[in-house]
Every structure is written in C-alpha cells, then in structure tokens.
Amino acid sequence: MTELLSSIAPAAGILCAVWFVASLLKRRSPRLPPGPPRKFLIGNLYDIPTHYEWLEYEKISKQYGDIISLEALGQRIIVMSNDEDVKELFTTRGSIYAGRARGTMAQMVGDGVVMMQPGKEFRTIRRLMSTFMGPQAVKHITEVQETAIREVLLRLMREPQDPLRPLQRMFGAIVLRLSFGYEVKEDNDYFIQLAETSISAFLHAFQPGWAVDTWPILRYLPSWLPFAKFKRDAAEWSEIIETGLRIPWEWTKSRIAAGDAIPSWASDLMGGEDEWIGAMAMRDLYSAGVDSTMTASLTFLLAMALHPDIQTRAQRDVDLVTGGERLPTIADRDQLPYLDAIIKELLRWHSIVNLALPHVATEDDTLRGYDIPKGTIVMANVWTILHDPKKYPDPMSFKPERFMPGAEGENEDPSKYAFGFGPRICPGRHLADATLFLVLAITLATCNVSDAVDEYGVPLKADSLEYLSGEVSRPPRFRCKIEPRSEHSRTLLSESD
C-alpha cells in the first residue's frame, strides 16, 4: 500500500501543479481600458463622481482617452465617449449589453421596465409598448396631446411664472389619460402625486452607495436593528411602488365595471394573459415619459426666450403653413423642417440624459484590444459625444440651423443618443417626439416667449446657464413671459376643436 501511494503521489503532484497554473492563467488580470490609478482595497471608489457625472467623466477621458475604466469594491465600470464605440457595443452587439445594473437595494424595492433584465417579461413589455406607442400608433392619439397643450398655454399666458408645475401637470395628464383613461383636474392630483412618489422611491433605491449593495448578506439582518434602516426604507418604498402600480389599474377596472370607462391602453390589456406585465408597463410610462419630455419642453421655452431671432424665424415658418388661421397639427410636420431642426438641437444642446443609463455586459467581450469582462458596467457619455466640436461646430451655442441642409459639420441626429440604444432604446420615443413637436408647433403658432429670469429675478443668459445634476438634467428654475401673439391666437387656443 505504501509503495502504491508512493507511485501515485508524483502524478497527483503534477496534476495539482497543472491545475494551479491553469487556474492562474484563467484568472489573469484582464487588459482593461486605461483610467485613474487604483488604491489598495477600495480601487477607484473616490474617483467615481456622484454629481455632474458626465462632466467629471469627460475630464477623466481627456486625460486617459475616450474609453476609460474604473473599479471600486470589485465592480468594473467602463465609460465610452466615442460615438463609434457606443454604436458598436450598444447597437451592433446590443444583445450582449442589454443587461442592467441592479444592486441589492433595488432588488429589495421592486422591479420596473427601465431596470428589468432581458428575458421573456422584458420582451413582452417591449412588445406591448411598441403596440401602443409605435410610429403609426401615435398618429391617432394627438387629440389628447393637443387639448392638454392648449390648456397649459392659456394658463401660462395669465402671468409670468415658473412653467415647471404647469408642464408637469400637462405631461402627467397626457400620460394618465392615454394609459388609464384618467382625467387630471387639479395641480395636486392624487394620481400625479402617486406617480411622482413612486419615481422618487425608485430613484432612491437605485442611488449608489448603499452598504447592502456592497455586502448583499446585510439584506438578511432583522429590520428592527438600529443600523438596518435601509431595510425599513426598502419596505416602505416597495409598498409605495406597489401602490403606484395597483391603484390606477384598479381605478380603470372600476370604471369598466361601472360602464363609464374612457378607452385607454390599460383597458385594452385587462383580462389578457399579460395583465400583470401590462400594469407594470402602464405605471412605468409615467416615469419614463413625463420627466424627459417635460425637461425638453422647459429647455425649449428657455431657448426661445434667450434667442428671439430663432423664435421669429420658426413662427414665420409655422405661419406660412397655417396661414395664421388654424393651429398646426402633426400632419404639418413634413412642411416644417426648421421645427424638426429645433427639436434636434434641444436634444443636443442640453441633453435630457447626459450619461446614458448603465448597461451590463452579459458575457466576456473585447473592444479595440481591451477586455470587457462579463458583469462590467458599461456607460456612454452622451454629453461628450453631443458636444464634440468635430461633429457639432461651436457645440455650446444653440444653433438649430446646424441640422438644416448644407450646414457645416457632421451634425448627426442626436436622437440616436438621446433615447438610448439597441434593445434598451426607449419604447416611448415616438410618443415623446410627437408630443414635443406639438408643444413647439402650437406654442410658436400662438405665443411669444420672452424675459427669462431665475428664481431671484435675475435675467438669464444663454452662455451662463447651469443645468442641474441628476439622471435627467433639468434647467435651473426660471420664470418667463408667455404672451399671445394676437387676440386671434388666444381664440385659437380657446376653441374646443
């Protein structure tokens, strides 16, 4: 027996050595893109920005190149500032990068369309949203949008005011009417408050920095412990999000039962096999659509007040189409290329989402000789791409003419970056685009926008605007004067048809 063991031992030793070397080779450090030096244990923890992230990543990119990497507490992050790299990964290889980064805290709070992982439910939601909000479908729902826009402009005409709340109510009313057949009657509407509270709960849960995201085992702590407040927060936010899903859906069901329901997307989905997924989709339409379209509309009002020459040219183009005798409609769009140019410049000048929502590599990949290991968070710095002077000459200036025929520069359509990429592209982009066009067209046909001042009454200037930090970057709070171009303009807005 001893002799047998003696003969086996060398062979076993060799096998162990081979296994050890193979393991080392397999676990070799990946060749990641360059980035700031990593510190012991914490890596780049203090290099990862939490405010105005797109500007901070742009600074790092200027030092290390247009594809950079960071690592903190074991999580790798890659940020791209080159349009070709973004298209290659998120569009050409989109299926590999369709994953989302969801920390443990977010998982404890609940799921949603934006952060849902690829799979059957994700595909079902995308299909449902495309059915209701595809390019052809949105052409048949403009009456709801036009009515809401007329109402908000008449309200804004009464006195100079901050347009944020009126616009928030308007876009909320559009989404709730289309989704649930619900009509908003007042500013402090319960359903709007419910939707806003649900959005806030989601955003809190997805913020970086939760200890439980770094050490997931903490989720099993008893919630009564003094240092387990995150568990109590998660339970509270989960209930808020569930309420935001359930209440509007049940309200629509009750109206159907009573026989007085207004046709809506929710009513079309009820009773089907995808009802629960449909309820989630309807809830998340508010968070996905209201904030971004409202922000673009705020930027439009601000841009018109600060650039009266652009406003005048656009008004002239609208008048040539309508003769000043009617309001413009979505059918007029092909005859109004300058308005389309303004929309593109709004999306570029101050991007709605400056740092695209994080994608996650679902398998190992490479780019330009660099490794992208499975599980790496990959982001596109949309701000840097849309302010590249080689693509967009004089990028800090508001110049819609850059998107007109014969303009200098490449001037690629910024909507290719503003609404996401590949399998994660925003399913509501056609609805947002159509609504934004109608906001511009009807406002320009009937109103003069002027005298933009900050919340302290100081006149605003185009070259000194400082947009707010956040996932959706809004302009600073401001007031402006919105006056009817004539009494006939006011009459056009007041007409019911």
Side-chain angles (χ1 to χ4, degrees), residues 6-66:
S6 299
S7 62
I8 291 176
I14 292 171
L15 288 174
C16 288
V18 169
W19 174 85
F20 180 71
V21 172
S23 299
L24 287 178
L25 290 173
K26 186 177 180 180
R27 295 172 57 191
R28 69 175 178 83
S29 297
R31 184 175 182 270
L32 298 171
R38 292 159 172 73
K39 296 181 174 62
F40 180 64
L41 292 180
I42 62 172
N44 298 116
L45 183 63
Y46 296 115
D47 296 312
I48 297 175
T50 56
H51 292 84
Y52 293 101
E53 296 94 325
W54 55 95
L55 297 179
E56 295 303 316
Y57 282 129
E58 185 176 53
K59 292 178 183 176
I60 298 174
S61 294
K62 287 180 179 178
Q63 183 175 357
Y64 293 100
D66 53 20

Side-chain angles (χ1 to χ4, degrees), residues 20-21 61 92 99 102 118 120-121 132 155 170 175 204 220 242 276 296 306 345 415 418 423 446 487:
F20 180 71
V21 172
S61 294
T92 304
R102 294 183 68 237
K120 182 180 178 181
E121 289 185 353
F132 294 124
R155 177 179 176 183
M170 181 191 79
V175 171
H204 276 98
Y220 300 108
E242 191 277 332
W276 176 82
L306 296 174
E345 185 67 343
S415 66
T446 59
E487 280 307 309

Side-chain angles (χ1 to χ4, degrees), residues 179-433:
S179 300
F180 298 104
Y182 178 83
E183 295 185 327
V184 173
K185 301 294 186 183
E186 55 189 6
D187 285 351
N188 60 345
D189 182 90
Y190 172 65
F191 276 25
I192 287 183
Q193 291 182 345
L194 188 62
E196 291 291 329
T197 305
S198 296
I199 293 171
S200 178
F202 261 125
L203 291 178
H204 276 98
F206 282 109
Q207 282 181 344
W210 294 104
V212 70
D213 288 343
T214 305
W215 299 286
I217 197 172
L218 295 179
R219 71 182 300 174
Y220 300 108
L221 289 173
S223 59
W224 51 263
L225 289 173
F227 49 83
K229 184 178 181 298
F230 73 92
K231 288 205 66 173
R232 299 189 291 275
D233 288 340
E236 178 185 349
W237 296 338
S238 179
E239 183 176 352
I240 288 171
I241 291 168
E242 191 277 332
T243 301
L245 182 148
R246 176 174 48 83
I247 295 296
W249 192 261
E250 290 182 351
W251 180 88
T252 303
K253 274 190 173 181
S254 71
R255 301 330 312 154
I256 293 173
D260 60 0
I262 297 173
S264 65
W265 295 333
S267 63
D268 290 343
L269 289 168
M270 287 182 179
E273 60 179 343
D274 298 324
E275 180 169 328
W276 176 82
I277 296 177
M280 182 187 295
M282 294 304 101
R283 177 201 64 192
D284 290 359
L285 270 179
Y286 189 99
S287 60
V290 171
D291 216 18
S292 57
T293 317
M294 179 183 67
T295 296
S297 298
L298 288 169
T299 298
F300 162 66
L301 293 177
L302 194 53
M304 294 303 97
L306 296 174
H307 301 88
D309 55 327
I310 293 175
Q311 180 175 212
T312 300
R313 176 179 173 179
Q315 289 171 331
R316 185 172 63 248
D317 284 7
V318 173
D319 291 346
L320 287 173
V321 172
T322 65
E325 296 302 317
R326 63 175 177 85
L327 295 178
T329 69
I330 201 73
D332 298 316
R333 187 164 190 172
D334 289 344
Q335 301 179 68
L336 294 168
Y338 192 61
L339 265 66
D340 264 342
I342 291 176
I343 291 174
K344 290 175 182 176
E345 185 67 343
L346 290 172
L347 298 177
R348 187 209 65 81
W349 184 47
H350 283 288
S351 318
I352 298 170
V353 178
N354 291 301
L355 190 68
L357 287 172
H359 294 234
V360 171
T362 57
E363 59 184 69
D364 291 341
D365 198 15
T366 61
L367 177 67
R368 286 203 268 155
Y370 297 119
D371 293 325
I372 304 177
K374 178 180 178 180
T376 299
I377 293 174
V378 186
M379 296 185 287
N381 193 335
V382 174
W383 167 270
T384 301
I385 293 171
L386 295 181
H387 292 80
D388 179 355
K390 295 179 182 177
K391 286 174 67 71
Y392 306 98
D394 192 13
M396 299 309 296
S397 296
F398 186 78
K399 292 183 175 182
E401 61 269 20
R402 72 173 77 246
F403 295 108
M404 297 295 285
E408 177 190 357
E410 181 181 339
N411 298 314
E412 184 180 17
D413 185 350
S415 66
K416 295 180 179 179
Y417 304 94
F419 293 109
F421 311 92
R424 307 291 328 200
I425 194 169
C426 174
R429 63 193 182 282
H430 301 295
L431 176 62
D433 179 64

Side-chain angles (χ1 to χ4, degrees), residues 302 306 452-454 458-462 464-465 476-479:
L302 194 53
L306 296 174
V453 298
D454 67 15
V458 177
L460 291 171
K461 297 180 180 179
S464 59
L465 291 176
R477 299 295 290 267
F478 69 94
R479 298 192 305 276

